[in-house]
């Protein structure tokens, strides 16, 4: 947690636990009805946001007190990212949608377009929007308010991940089709990286723009 205040853990027991910096138990965060899949700390140490297999997200206070439940997804919430300047959140789900939320948990725009589970998303530099990827074999660009943009087609199997290149130069994606693909910032395919003989599950960018692993 920020400023070395401790730790927050989550488990298949449908709960989270708050711990002090020395490992002392502080609080049990109970309320989810399904396996907790992840959590993040809110800006300015205001509390926490968690998400689970029960199709919703939950806000918690700094001491673990339960806050609003963010309902709207129709299936397992797979991940969430915090928007810049504490403006809210973007979540994604197996229901094929992404959702924007205000900082207080109020529902915002629903980002529709994917045709299968959304595996992940990232925020573009300078608040320009988002990039998402899905089991429907595509990636999608979205504007900052959730407006639909370019669809990045080329992968032949589910897209498992992506990263943004330095200086907003584009993106690198990887897939169960055994390839990685480079895209420019407009979503146009630049090149296909062949060599793997089975599913690619991850990649990272090397320092100073020298390549990828």
């Amino acid at each position: 947690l920020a400023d070395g205040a401790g730790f927050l853990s989550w488990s298949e027991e449908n709960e989270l636990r708050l711990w002090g910096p020395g490992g002392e138990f502080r609080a049990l965060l109970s309320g989810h009805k399904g396996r907790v899949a992840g959590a993040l700390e809110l800006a300015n140490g205001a509390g926490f946001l968690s998400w689970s297999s029960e199709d919703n997200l939950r806000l918690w206070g700094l001491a673990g007190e339960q806050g609003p439940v963010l309902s709207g997804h129709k299936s397992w919430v797979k991940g969430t990212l915090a928007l810049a300047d504490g403006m809210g959140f973007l979540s994604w789900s197996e229901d094929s949608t992404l959702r924007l939320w205000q900082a207080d948990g109020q529902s915002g725009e629903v980002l529709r377009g994917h045709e299968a589970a959304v595996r992940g998303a990232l925020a573009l530099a300078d608040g320009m929007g988002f990039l998402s990827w899905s089991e429907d074999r595509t990636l999608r660009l979205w504007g900052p308010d959730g407006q639909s943009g370019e669809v990045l087609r080329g992968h032949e199997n589910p897209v498992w991940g992506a990263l943004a290149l330095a200086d907003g130069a584009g993106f690198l994606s990887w897939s169960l089709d055994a390839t990685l693909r480079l895209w420019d910032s407009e979503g146009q395919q630049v090149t296909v990286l062949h060599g793997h003989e089975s599913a690619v599950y991850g990649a990272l960018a090397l320092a100073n723009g020298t390549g990828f692993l």
Side-chain angles (χ1 to χ4, degrees):
L1 304 181
D3 301 321
F7 313 95
L8 180 71
S9 61
W10 51 92
S11 78
E12 291 190 352
E13 301 168 324
N14 307 347
E15 62 191 27
L16 303 92
R17 288 176 179 261
L18 192 59
W19 311 85
E24 63 276 15
F25 174 70
R26 289 275 181 85
L28 177 68
L29 286 62
S30 180
H32 281 295
K33 307 299 187 210
R35 180 165 73 101
V36 182
L40 57 82
E41 186 174 13
L42 305 182
N44 303 319
F48 314 99
L49 175 73
S50 60
W51 53 93
S52 83
S53 61
E54 66 179 308
D55 72 26
N56 62 40
L57 305 91
R58 287 176 180 262
L59 283 165
W60 309 86
L62 187 59
E65 60 272 27
Q66 191 170 140
V69 178
L70 287 61
S71 298
H73 283 297
K74 305 303 182 186
S75 187
W76 192 332
V77 181
K78 301 298 289 184
T80 306
L81 59 83
L83 306 183
D85 301 321
M87 295 298 292
F89 318 100
L90 175 73
S91 62
W92 52 92
S93 166
E94 287 192 344
D95 68 7
S96 78
T97 71
L98 302 93
R99 285 178 176 260
L100 284 165
W101 308 87
Q102 297 176 25
D104 62 0
Q106 294 298 308
S107 180
E109 192 70 23
V110 181
L111 285 62
R112 305 182 189 276
H114 284 297
E115 298 177 354
V118 183
R119 294 295 309 179
L122 58 83
L124 305 182
D126 301 321
M128 295 299 293
F130 312 98
L131 175 74
S132 62
W133 50 93
S134 165
E135 292 183 12
D136 68 5
R137 302 177 294 178
T138 71
L139 302 93
R140 284 179 174 262
L141 285 166
W142 309 88
D145 296 320
Q147 56 271 43
S148 182
E150 191 72 22
V151 181
L152 287 62
R153 304 183 188 276
H155 282 295
E156 298 176 358
N157 278 311
V159 184
W160 220 245
L163 58 82
L165 306 183
D167 301 321
F171 315 100
L172 175 73
S173 62
W174 50 94
S175 165
L176 300 189
D177 67 7
T179 71
L180 301 93
R181 291 170 189 259
L182 280 168
W183 312 84
D184 67 20
S185 60
E186 302 298 320
Q188 300 303 305
Q189 185 171 286
V190 176
T191 190
V192 182
L193 286 64
H194 292 285
H196 287 291
E197 297 180 356
S198 59
V200 183
Y201 291 116
L204 58 83
L206 305 183
N208 301 319
T210 55
F212 311 99
L213 176 67

